[in-house]
C-alpha cells in the first residue's frame, strides 16, 4: 500500500523568503503525485500534479515541485513567499492504476511579515 | 458554479444518534469520495464511488455507510455516532476514477458528544 510522509508539521518563513516543503512517499512503482493547499475553513485546492514526463512541474500561484525517483520525494517549492500563502499544504500519492489518493499529514505554513 | 456542495456545514450529535451528510456535484463527474480530516493525520478515505452504481471501502470505513443516489449525489451515513467520529468530513469528486484533479467541498464539521 502507498503511504506519504510530510516530515514538517509546521514551518514559518518570512515574507519574500524562499520555501521548500518536503514530501516522501512509499510505493513500489512511479505513482501519481499531487500537492493540495487548504486555506482555513475551506476545502482543498490542487496546486500541481505529476503523472509522467518532465520531473519538474509547475503549478498555480507560482509553486513548483520536483519528482526525484531516487529519493522517493516530491518537494514543493516557491522562490518568494507571500503572506497569502499561509495555509496548510498536503502531499498526496496515488497508484497509477488505482482509485484512491493517500494524503500526508500536512504541513502548516505561517508567513511572518 | 457551485462545484461540490456539502450539507450540513456544522452538526453536533449525541453518542448513538444517527445522521446523514449530503454531497452533490454539478460537474458531471463520475467518481465521488468521502474523506475525514483529523489533526496531524491528513485526509483519510472513508468510502468512494468510482462510478454511478458502485461503492467501495476506503481506509477507514468502520461505522459508516454510503449511498450513491445518482450521478450527482453521494451521501455518508453514521448509524450510531461515536465520539471517535468527531471530525471534519470532506466530499470530493473527479471526472474519472483514477486520473485528474479532485474537487473538494468546503467540509462538514461534526462533533459527537
Amino acid at each position: 500500500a502507498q503511504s506519504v510522509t510530510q516530515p514538517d508539521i509546521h514551518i514559518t518563513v518570512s515574507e519574500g523568503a524562499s520555501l521548500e516543503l518536503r514530501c516522501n512517499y512509499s510505493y513500489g512503482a512511479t505513482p501519481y503525485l499531487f500537492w493540495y493547499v487548504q486555506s482555513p475553513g475551506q476545502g482543498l485546492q490542487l496546486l500541481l500534479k505529476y503523472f509522467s514526463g518532465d520531473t519538474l512541474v509547475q503549478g498555480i500561484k507560482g509553486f513548483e515541485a520536483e519528482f526525484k525517483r531516487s529519493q522517493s520525494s516530491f518537494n514543493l517549492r516557491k522562490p518568494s513567499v507571500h503572506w497569502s500563502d499561509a495555509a496548510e499544504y498536503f502531499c498526496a500519492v496515488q497508484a497509477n492504476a488505482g482509485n484512491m489518493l493517500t494524503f500526508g499529514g500536512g504541513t502548516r505554513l505561517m508567513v511572518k511579515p | 458554479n457551485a462545484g461540490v456542495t456539502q450539507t450540513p456545514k456544522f452538526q453536533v450529535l449525541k453518542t448513538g444518534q444517527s445522521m446523514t451528510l449530503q454531497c452533490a456535484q454539478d460537474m458531471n463527474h463520475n467518481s465521488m469520495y468521502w474523506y475525514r480530516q483529523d489533526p496531524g493525520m491528513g485526509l483519510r478515505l472513508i468510502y468512494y464511488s468510482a462510478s454511478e452504481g458502485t461503492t467501495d471501502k476506503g481506509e477507514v470505513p468502520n461505522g459508516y455507510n454510503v449511498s450513491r443516489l445518482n450521478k450527482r449525489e453521494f451521501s455518508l451515513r453514521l448509524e450510531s455516532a461515536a465520539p471517535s467520529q468527531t471530525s471534519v468530513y470532506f466530499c470530493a469528486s473527479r471526472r474519472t476514477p483514477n486520473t485528474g484533479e479532485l474537487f473538494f467541498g468546503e467540509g462538514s464539521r461534526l462533533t459527537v458528544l
Side-chain angles (χ1 to χ4, degrees), chain A residues 23-44:
Chain A
C23 172
N24 293 97
Y25 67 89
S26 173
Y27 180 64
T30 299
Y32 296 160
L33 296 159
F34 305 80
W35 275 99
Y36 282 84
V37 60
Q38 183 183 32
S39 298
Q42 301 295 313
L44 280 71

Side-chain angles (χ1 to χ4, degrees), chain A residues 14-20 58 61-64 76-82 85:
Chain A
S14 298
E15 191 168 16
S18 63
L19 172 70
E20 182 169 26
Q58 304 295 321
K61 305 185 181 186
F63 286 92
E64 66 178 26
L76 182 71
R77 301 194 294 249
K78 187 170 185 177
S80 177
V81 170
H82 188 263
D85 294 325

Side-chain angles (χ1 to χ4, degrees), chain B residues 91-106:
Chain B
C91 179
S93 71
R94 59 182 174 179
R95 184 168 303 281
T96 57
N98 55 9
T99 61
E101 177 181 355
L102 272 176
F103 290 83
F104 284 84
E106 293 188 345

Side-chain angles (χ1 to χ4, degrees), chain A residues 9 32 34 36 38 41-46 49 51 88 90 94-106, chain B residues 33 35 37 40-45 48 50 56-59 90 94 97-107:
Chain A
I9 298 174
Y32 296 160
F34 305 80
Y36 282 84
Q38 183 183 32
Q42 301 295 313
L44 280 71
Q45 180 186 19
L46 180 70
K49 61 188 177 189
F51 285 176
E88 189 154 20
F90 293 93
Q94 177 187 304
N96 56 21
N99 296 329
M100 297 165 41
L101 260 70
T102 298
F103 285 83
Chain B
Y33 304 78
Y35 286 89
Q37 182 179 28
M41 304 187 73
L43 281 77
R44 292 179 292 168
L45 183 64
Y48 68 99
D56 286 287
K57 296 179 180 179
E59 184 183 354
F90 286 95
R94 59 182 174 179
N98 55 9
T99 61
E101 177 181 355
L102 272 176
F103 290 83
F104 284 84
E106 293 188 345

Side-chain angles (χ1 to χ4, degrees), chain A residues 70-93:
Chain A
S70 61
Q71 299 177 18
S72 297
S73 68
F74 188 55
N75 293 349
L76 182 71
R77 301 194 294 249
K78 187 170 185 177
S80 177
V81 170
H82 188 263
W83 64 265
S84 61
D85 294 325
E88 189 154 20
Y89 292 79
F90 293 93
C91 182
V93 62

Side-chain angles (χ1 to χ4, degrees), chain B residues 29-103:
Chain B
H29 286 170
N30 291 298
S31 303
M32 299 184 73
Y33 304 78
W34 276 107
Y35 286 89
R36 60 177 289 172
Q37 182 179 28
D38 302 292
M41 304 187 73
L43 281 77
R44 292 179 292 168
L45 183 64
I46 305 171
Y47 271 93
Y48 68 99
S49 171
S51 60
E52 187 178 357
T54 69
T55 60
D56 286 287
K57 296 179 180 179
E59 184 183 354
V60 288
N62 291 346
Y64 304 94
N65 286 300
V66 291
S67 295
R68 182 74 183 267
L69 304 170
N70 48 54
K71 190 171 185 179
R72 290 186 64 248
E73 298 172 289
F74 188 40
S75 63
L76 178 71
R77 182 161 178 84
L78 288 69
E79 291 289 355
S80 179
S84 61
Q85 295 178 303
T86 294
S87 187
V88 181
Y89 292 85
F90 286 95
C91 179
S93 71
R94 59 182 174 179
R95 184 168 303 281
T96 57
N98 55 9
T99 61
E101 177 181 355
L102 272 176
F103 290 83

